[in-house]
Every structure is written in structure tokens, then in C-alpha cells.
Amino acid sequence: MARRAEPPDGGWGWMVVLSAFFQSALVFGVLRSFGVFFVEFVAAFEEQAARVSWIASIGIAVQQFGSPIGSALSTKLGPRPVVMTGGILAALGMLLASFATSLTHLYLSIGLLSGSGWALTFTPTLACLSRYFSRRRSLAMGLALTGVGLSSFAFAPLFQWLISSYAWRGALLLVSALSLHLMACGALLRPLSLTEDTSVGGPGAQLSSLLHHGPFLRYTVALTLINTGYFIPYVHLVAHLQDLGWDPLPAAFLLSVAAISDLVGRVASGWLGDAVPGPVARLLMLWTTLTGVSLALFPVAQAPTTLVVLAVAYGFTSGALTPVAFSVLPELVGTARIYCGLGLVQMIESIGGLLGAPLSVCYSIQPAEPILTVLSFYLQTPGPCNRSSGDQNSPAQGGGLGRGLNSTRRQRSWKARA
């Protein structure tokens, strides 16, 4: 296979965007909408809601902690067979869950087996997309990740209708069939060889380089803090509004308003990330700061109008930071190391996702947001790798690690002149 000097910035890459759109819908759209099954599980197994909630928590944890495995396999075998295998595992987990006779069976089937399938699909797909785009990477990411928002609207009522028509066991069988479409998503991932690939070594060598790469480690810490506060409103906002006297239906509707705003923010941020000159990390810092401000204002807001404005602001800014966060990473570590880099980031940032909601009682976790902002700003300063002037195969240059945020500046200034 001929090697390209640069990503094509289009062509088959748009088919990869389409694949990533449906893949994000079939992974996180299903996860976000899975709450409609909880009531059925509580009634069927006569268990407490807290124990039932561990089903989705285990699935999310396995998906994120298992991401490095999917990344390493994609580096060796390519993303297509890995993602297609993940689709089979995700569907098999849902299929076995339909025969469950205890919560333990659901922990193992949905949490462990389907979670393992999701680990083999999400990270390799986004990493493959990153390799196809350079100047349009933020827009491509934004379009791909809109699948999460759109599917969240569609799947919740769909799953509820399936449960009403076929009971929860029949509904899980149909969700299993739906998950098999991840195989079609994987089939669209055409491997792309770049000249940069020959200088980075295998997964072990890439992991060693990343663990010694200061800007990457700082960025990983920043994303972990983002993940800590990111899901707080989705967990606590409805209960907070009910404490203020809101009825359950309007309180739930406010989350839908935030989801619509999230969808708009992803597309707008993707476009801005490619259109505005300057480092993409500055946009990330802007969206992160605004997200932190909106989170900090939720506990003190009382008026319904103010709460609606904050929900819209939070939805837009939190959605906007997502495509930018994924776009910065390949510019920081290089496209040749994106599989390993994205998998490692996903594994580490899952710590924030797991701890954020339990620690956020009374929104006490928000002091982390100013720290996050400082770290995001610190990312824009060139580290030792960025200052190096070694040969083209050194980590500071051709190997990708030295491209960092200085290369982002060069790309942005070039684009401004163009």
C-alpha cells in the first residue's frame, strides 16, 4: 500500500466520518438511553436502583479502560477487523442479557461483554478519522460526534416503545440486532498509511514515548479534570430542579434543551476549530472556561429563566469542547501515534468520569474547573519536545511528538495566509 505524505483531508475520509457518526450513535446513544430499561430491571429482579445502575457504570468503565487494547490491536491489525469484532461482542452481550435471570448476568453480559465491544469500536474509529483529516479535522470530529446527540433523542422513545411492545427481553434482542450494525461501521474504515508511520515503532515503543512526553501528560490530566465535571448536570440537574419546586416533566425537558444546544455546539465548534487562525487549544480553553462558569452558576440560580439560559449555555459549551478536545490530540502526538495516544487518554480520563458524579454532591467538585483552565492554558506553552531541533526521525520532529502545539500554530498561520 502506497504511503501518503499528508492526510487527504477528504475523499474516503467523509465515509469514515459517516461511520464514526453511526458508531458514536450505536455506542453512546445506546448508553445514554439505557435508563429506560432500569425500571424494568428493578421490577424484574426486585433489586435496589443503586445496584441496577451499576450495569451502565460497568459498561462505561470497561469501554474506557479497555480503549488501549482496541488501540494496540488497531495499530497491529488495522481498525477494520477490530471494530467489526467489537460490533459482534456488543451485540452478543445484549443478546445474552435478554436471557438474564439475575443482575450478575447483566453485569457480565452488558457491562463486561458489550463494554468490551464498545472499547474495540469507539477509540479506533475516532483515531482512524483523525488520520484522514488535518486542516478539516475539527469539523470532521464535530460532524461525527453529533451522532451521540441525535441518537439520544431517537433511542429513548424507541426503546420505550420496544419495551411496551415486546417486554424488556424482546427489546434487548432488538437492541442486539441494532448493535450488529457496528460491523457495517467497521467495514467502512479503510486503512490509511502515512509516511510518518515508519518512524514510531510498535505499540510498546509508542506507549513508552507518550509516557515520557510532558505536553501529552499535561493534556491527559486536563481532559481528566474535564471529564470529572462534564457529566454532573446529566446526573444531578433533574433532582436539583425538583428540589427547587419544578415538576418532573419540565425538569427532564430542560435536559432535552441542553442536549439540543449540545448538538449545535459540536457542529459550530468543529467549524470554528478549522476556520479561526491560532492554536486549537485556545478554543478548548475558551469552551472549558465557559463550561466551568455555567456549572458554577447552577447552584446559585433560582429563577426559571436563568436556569434555562444556563442549561442552553452549558449544553452549547460542553458540546463545543468535545470535537476540539479530540482534534488537539493528533496535533500534539502526531497522527502515527494517535491510536495509542487516544486509547491511553480514554483510559486515564475514565477516572474523572467515574468519580465526578459521586463527588459532586452539592456541586462541590466545581473548584476543579479553575485548575482545569490553568492546565489548558499551560498546554499552549511549548515543552522540551517542541523546542528540540533534532533530526526528522527524532521524537521532537518526524516521530510526531514534537509536532505539538507549535505545529498547530504553523498550520493555523498557513491557513490564514491561504
Side-chain angles (χ1 to χ4, degrees), residues 16-94:
V16 178
V17 171
L18 180 65
S19 170
F21 173 87
F22 284 107
Q23 175 272 141
S24 63
L26 292 171
V27 174
F28 288 100
V30 169
L31 278 170
R32 281 190 176 187
S33 306
F34 214 71
V36 298
F37 286 94
F38 284 179
V39 176
E40 303 298 324
F41 293 156
V42 169
F45 301 111
E46 298 180 348
E47 295 282 359
Q48 296 180 350
R51 293 194 63 193
V52 174
S53 67
W54 277 101
I55 299 171
S57 296
I58 293 172
I60 294 172
V62 171
Q63 183 270 318
Q64 292 189 314
F65 276 106
S67 291
I69 298 176
S71 299
L73 291 174
S74 297
T75 302
K76 285 288 187 181
L77 306 174
R80 180 180 291 168
V82 175
V83 173
M84 294 180 72
T85 301
I88 294 174
L89 292 178
L92 181 60
M94 293 295 177

Side-chain angles (χ1 to χ4, degrees), residues 94-118:
M94 293 295 177
L95 175 64
L96 295 177
S98 67
F99 299 98
T101 58
S102 69
L103 274 187
T104 303
H105 295 161
L106 294 178
Y107 293 158
L108 295 175
S109 57
I110 298 176
L112 183 60
L113 193 56
S114 291
S116 298
W118 297 329

Side-chain angles (χ1 to χ4, degrees), residues 232-255 298 307 360-363:
I232 289 176
Y234 291 104
V235 177
H236 294 294
L237 182 58
V238 172
H240 176 65
L241 294 176
Q242 291 181 8
D243 289 341
L244 294 177
W246 285 47
D247 292 332
L249 186 59
F253 178 74
L254 195 60
L255 276 185
F298 265 120
L307 288 166
S360 61
V361 178
C362 299
Y363 294 85

Side-chain angles (χ1 to χ4, degrees), residues 207-258:
L207 179 62
S208 178
S209 296
L210 292 173
L211 292 177
H212 290 85
H213 186 228
F216 170 77
L217 296 178
R218 293 195 295 271
Y219 188 69
T220 302
V221 171
L223 288 186
T224 302
L225 288 173
I226 289 176
N227 217 29
T228 301
Y230 190 85
F231 296 102
I232 289 176
Y234 291 104
V235 177
H236 294 294
L237 182 58
V238 172
H240 176 65
L241 294 176
Q242 291 181 8
D243 289 341
L244 294 177
W246 285 47
D247 292 332
L249 186 59
F253 178 74
L254 195 60
L255 276 185
S256 298
V257 171

Side-chain angles (χ1 to χ4, degrees), residues 115-140:
S116 298
W118 297 329
L120 297 181
T121 57
F122 181 72
T123 300
T125 301
L126 287 192
C128 181
L129 187 153
S130 297
R131 291 170 60 83
Y132 269 90
F133 291 90
S134 177
R135 290 181 292 112
R136 298 175 179 174
R137 184 179 289 139
S138 294
L139 177 61

